[in-house]
Amino acid sequence: MRIVSIVIAVLTCLLFVPNGFAQMPGMTAMENSAGTISSGTSIEPAAVAESSTMIHGSLGSWTVMFHANAFVLDIQQSGPRGGDKFLSTNWMMPMLTNQWGPHSLTLRTMLSLEPATVTKRRYPLLFQSGETAFGLPIVDGQHPHNLFMEIAGRYDFDVNDKTRLFLYGGPLGEPALGPTAFPHRSSASENPVAMLGHHMQDSTHLSYSVITAGISAGPIQLEASTFHGQEPNENRWYIGTGKPDSYSARLSVAPTREMAGQFSMGRINNREPHEPGLDTVRMTASIHHNLTLASGSLASSVIWGRNNDMIDSEERIFNAYALESTLNFKSRNWVWTRIENLDKDRTLLFGETPEALEVEETPIGRVQAYSFGYERDIFRTQLWANVGLGFQFTTYGLTNEMKTVYGNSPKSFVVFLHLRPVGNMAAHMRAMHGH
């Protein structure tokens, strides 16, 4: 299985040949009647495609798409638990689609160099927790993504102009659970670091042995998945395996081109490698809105996630709420905010120590994080390169108990370069829809 996975990924990358690009007639692989297909099988508003930086073209009878995103950043944090680091968060996604009559087949691969560009298996992120590094729970840090983040395929059958049946899956993919994952969300496009609520909202975006079946009819998409519930281990160069042992379902609705929402629920069995027997029932809901402006766009999301962790007949309930919005104006300027309010567990007080392994992960209170950022695109080519320079500032609200460990007023500062394609998909979609 691992050899097959690597072969598929390499072939997909090799088939992406920039010099062989030609203008293609349509973009059906990115859209269905319910909106724009985003990470996995999740849906964002149809208007998102009109501000996309994806590159598309054709290679013989295949449609070729390529999307990428990379931040080179320096993080500086204050307070007793603050950390500093120079690193890069990044991913790239080559895709191939072939359509014949009412049928279409899409091969998707997503890769990240973070196992090399995020050293010591983590980067500083105050109040973040989840997964492990060197056998200890990560506290105040975010783990890097795997080298291979997605190796999957999707088959679609168009019953008519408004109804589509689809089957998605592969060794690595994203089940039907949660909002569009934060690395792909239009409302989070300029934010260089992860969500604090990631492990209560969209952490299943990298899951093993995913199988999803669904139907899109008019503005509604309904889908169900089975997948391997345990999160990847800390070896980020590794393609893991596991039998499907968890399941989820998601209902998405896109009443207009500018708006899409979802409600999903799933049972994730044996979720944490360092906590055997932990099962989680996760519920999420989100609303995404994207408005196309004369010289930019405004993308916003409201997200809720809830974990009901069950172990040894005990239940632990954690909620996470987020509001994020990104405004692109005068083409080259970006401003954004992300506001989070979420429950945290007792491991925060112990940090990355062996004692944290013995602590019961019970809720101890809520943390608020308020992030604000600005970026300006400083260099562009016609298609392949867009370089932005930006910064982000984050301040926190915390309980009195947390202040004994973190200080009264911790802060986080990030300065970064942002690299991505300029893309040609936005102009194509605007032409298709008569804008």
Side-chain angles (χ1 to χ4, degrees):
M1 178 64 75
R2 294 174 192 165
I3 295 176
V4 172
S5 302
I6 294 173
V7 170
I8 293 173
V10 171
L11 285 176
T12 304
C13 292
L14 289 175
L15 284 169
F16 172 64
V17 183
N19 293 332
F21 272 20
Q23 194 68 25
M24 70 179 192
M27 202 59 182
T28 57
M30 283 300 298
E31 290 191 301
N32 64 21
S33 60
T36 298
I37 301 169
S38 192
S39 64
T41 55
S42 67
I43 295 296
E44 288 196 275
V48 166
E50 297 178 17
S51 57
S52 172
T53 59
M54 182 177 288
I55 298 172
H56 68 85
S58 62
L59 187 64
S61 62
W62 289 85
T63 295
V64 184
M65 293 167 283
F66 179 76
H67 201 192
N69 209 24
F71 295 92
V72 180
L73 60 146
D74 183 71
I75 299 176
Q76 302 285 328
Q77 297 176 330
S78 67
R81 285 285 190 85
D84 308 325
K85 193 161 191 171
F86 180 77
L87 65 134
S88 171
T89 57
N90 54 79
W91 54 265
M92 67 185 92
M93 178 185 284
M95 295 181 286
L96 292 168
T97 297
N98 202 333
Q99 186 167 358
W100 63 103
H103 312 274
S104 63
L105 176 66
T106 302
L107 303 178
R108 299 172 53 141
T109 303
M110 185 174 176
L111 305 100
S112 174
L113 297 178
E114 288 181 13
T117 61
V118 178
T119 57
K120 299 183 180 179
R121 303 181 186 177
R122 63 187 301 284
Y123 65 82
L125 189 60
L126 282 171
F127 301 101
Q128 181 67 298
S129 58
E131 303 202 20
T132 60
F134 305 103
L136 296 176
I138 295 176
V139 179
D140 299 320
Q142 173 66 30
H143 63 81
H145 286 110
N146 288 29
L147 172 63
F148 290 99
M149 298 175 64
E150 183 179 31
I151 304 172
R154 173 171 170 146
Y155 166 75
D156 290 86
F157 176 74
D158 292 333
V159 179
N160 53 46
D161 290 343
K162 296 293 184 180
T163 305
R164 170 179 290 182
L165 304 175
F166 62 89
L167 183 66
Y168 164 91
L172 274 168
E174 181 178 329
L177 181 59
T180 294
F182 75 86
H184 303 277
R185 246 183 348 255
S186 183
S187 58
S189 63
E190 311 310 300
N191 197 314
V193 299
M195 302 275 294
L196 290 182
H198 175 50
H199 291 276
M200 286 169 271
Q201 296 166 348
D202 55 7
S203 64
T204 52
H205 76 104
L206 200 166
S207 297
Y208 298 130
S209 306
V210 176
I211 303 171
T212 299
I215 179 171
S216 173
I220 297 173
Q221 177 170 291
L222 180 64
E223 53 192 323
S225 298
T226 182
F227 58 100
H228 185 64
Q230 187 170 92
E231 295 177 345
N233 64 29
E234 58 186 85
N235 183 352
R236 299 295 167 175
W237 300 98
Y238 170 80
I239 300 178
T241 59
K243 295 180 180 180
D245 59 4
S246 303
Y247 48 88
S248 65
R250 179 167 58 198
L251 173 66
S252 302
V253 181
T256 68
R257 287 187 55 79
E258 291 77 28
M259 182 174 291
Q262 65 85 31
F263 175 80
S264 56
M265 185 173 182
R267 183 181 177 101
I268 311 169
N269 290 318
N270 199 26
R271 181 167 63 94
E272 295 283 358
H274 70 276
E275 196 169 5
L278 172 67
D279 299 333
T280 297
V281 174
R282 178 173 296 168
M283 288 191 292
T284 79
S286 59
I287 298 174
H288 308 293
H289 185 267
N290 197 90
L291 184 63
T292 301
L293 306 175
S295 60
S297 61
L298 175 64
S300 303
S301 296
V302 179
I303 303 167
W304 166 69
R306 179 183 188 269
N307 278 355
N308 184 356
D309 292 344
M310 300 171 293
I311 186 169
D312 297 330
S313 301
E314 296 183 2
E315 293 187 353
R316 306 187 299 241
I317 295 177
F318 298 86
N319 286 278
Y321 306 87
L323 168 65
E324 60 185 19
S325 189
T326 297
L327 172 66
N328 173 221
F329 63 99
K330 293 187 177 179
S331 182
R332 291 177 177 263
N333 298 278
W334 307 78
V335 292
W336 65 93
T337 185
R338 175 187 287 167
I339 301 172
E340 297 191 75
N341 183 16
L342 67 158
D343 296 315
K344 299 304 296 184
D345 68 74
R346 190 161 296 279
T347 58
L348 281 186
L349 305 179
F350 290 81
E352 296 177 352
T353 63
E355 290 77 12
L357 291 169
E358 308 299 325
V359 175
E360 187 175 350
E361 296 183 9
T362 54
I364 59 168
R366 288 191 172 176
V367 171
Q368 295 80 44
Y370 307 92
S371 296
F372 305 91
Y374 171 77
E375 176 186 341
R376 178 168 174 83
D377 296 335
I378 57 175
F379 173 78
R380 285 184 181 178
T381 63
Q382 185 175 358
L383 182 65
W384 289 97
N386 183 12
V387 181
L389 176 64
F391 68 90
Q392 178 170 279
F393 167 74
T394 304
T395 186
Y396 305 90
L398 53 161
T399 66
N400 290 331
E401 186 178 19
M402 295 175 189
K403 289 179 181 179
T404 63
V405 174
Y406 287 88
N408 290 327
S409 185
K411 302 288 190 298
S412 179
F413 304 87
V414 182
V415 179
F416 62 87
L417 283 175
H418 187 186
L419 300 90
R420 58 186 154 181
V422 175
N424 58 357
M425 181 177 154
H428 175 77
M429 296 304 296
R430 286 193 292 269
M432 283 184 63
H433 295 291
H435 295 297

